[in-house]
Amino acid sequence: GLPAFLWLSFTAGLLALLTPCVFPMIPITVSFFSKKVDDGTKKTNYGGALAYCLGIIGTFTALGLIVTLVFGASGIQKLATNPWLNLGLAALFIVLAASLFGLFEITIPSSVLTKLSGKSGRTGLVGPMLMGLTFTLTSFTCTVPFVGTLLVSAAQGSLLYPILGMLAFSTAFALPFFLLALFPQYLAKLPKSGSWLATVKAFMGFLEIAAAVKFLSNADLVWQLGWLTRPV
């Protein structure tokens, strides 16, 4: 159902924060929106922090909208029943797991990131919003397994599932950046970055393997091969 799917999406957004591409950037980004004023205190650019988060949310939600427009309601639902598509999705999840295991990285072309990075220096709210968009794309190496999982999971639902799922995911993903901009004193309580991030990322790869087995099981059920039974 929709509530369970939205909860899954929100949880995936929080888990995506615990990856080596994202977690070390949280204190750096939050400190960017805090600056010292003449009396020695720090002043937070709340508008900029909000625009930055809206850039993140807008990018992921637009991706969900694109998936909806490309596949449509009937196309998304067919994904759940076609055995060949299930085999393809299983292969995709194995590739995503290999990425989390560190065998390779999935990246956005550097030319695209360079153009966006140059425009993110604009004043006002446009600059921070473009910064959020750029950060979303640069962190794609670590977030694509989560995003791919959610978009495929959206095949079980209706036309709005990809859009609402990406909205819930990106809200959870962006929320710590805004909250820590409001309360920067809590930055000191965050755990330090280190090798534990790579370990967490690798363990998440096993979740992708589990998802791959699930889609292999879907194909097995349609063809009635009896290979992936519950005991197996």
Side-chain angles (χ1 to χ4, degrees):
L2 183 60
F5 177 69
L6 292 179
W7 178 247
L8 172 69
S9 302
F10 191 85
T11 304
L14 295 178
L15 286 174
L17 291 166
L18 300 176
T19 55
C21 314
V22 180
F23 191 82
M25 292 301 297
I26 295 177
I28 297 172
T29 305
V30 172
S31 62
F32 177 82
F33 295 109
S34 300
K35 59 180 180 180
K36 288 186 177 180
V37 291
D38 295 335
D39 59 1
T41 60
K42 281 191 174 183
K43 183 180 180 181
T44 301
N45 179 8
Y46 299 114
L50 180 60
Y52 180 84
C53 295
L54 289 177
I56 295 174
I57 293 172
T59 305
F60 282 117
T61 306
L63 179 61
L65 177 61
I66 291 170
V67 169
T68 299
L69 294 175
V70 169
F71 290 102
S74 60
I76 290 174
Q77 289 166 359
K78 286 178 181 176
L79 287 173
T81 56
N82 188 300
W84 291 106
L85 280 174
N86 275 281
L87 286 178
L89 291 172
L92 172 64
F93 277 103
I94 291 172
V95 170
L96 295 177
S99 174
L100 286 175
F101 289 149
L103 270 67
F104 58 87
E105 291 186 349
I106 303 171
T107 57
I108 302 292
S110 58
S111 58
V112 175
L113 297 177
T114 302
K115 289 181 180 178
L116 286 173
S117 181
K119 294 179 180 179
S120 63
R122 294 180 179 179
T123 56
L125 298 180
V126 176
M129 194 170 288
L130 287 174
M131 277 180 59
L133 169 60
T134 306
F135 172 69
T136 303
L137 296 179
T138 54
S139 64
F140 204 62
T141 300
C142 292
T143 59
V144 66
F146 300 94
V147 173
T149 303
L150 291 177
L151 291 177
V152 172
S153 299
Q156 312 295 329
S158 65
L159 186 65
L160 290 176
Y161 268 51
I163 301 173
L164 295 177
M166 285 296 95
L167 182 60
F169 172 88
S170 57
T171 300
F173 189 78
L175 196 58
F177 291 95
F178 185 68
L179 291 178
L180 287 171
L182 293 179
F183 308 103
Q185 64 271 23
Y186 289 104
L187 276 173
K189 296 185 178 181
L190 286 179
K192 301 295 183 182
S193 301
S195 59
W196 66 271
L197 286 172
T199 304
V200 170
K201 181 183 173 186
F203 270 102
M204 291 175 184
F206 287 104
L207 297 178
E208 301 291 330
I209 293 292
V213 173
K214 192 266 182 189
F215 285 102
L216 287 174
S217 176
N218 286 353
D220 183 67
L221 285 172
V222 173
W223 285 326
Q224 297 184 349
L225 299 175
W227 291 353
L228 287 174
T229 61
R230 185 174 294 273
V232 171

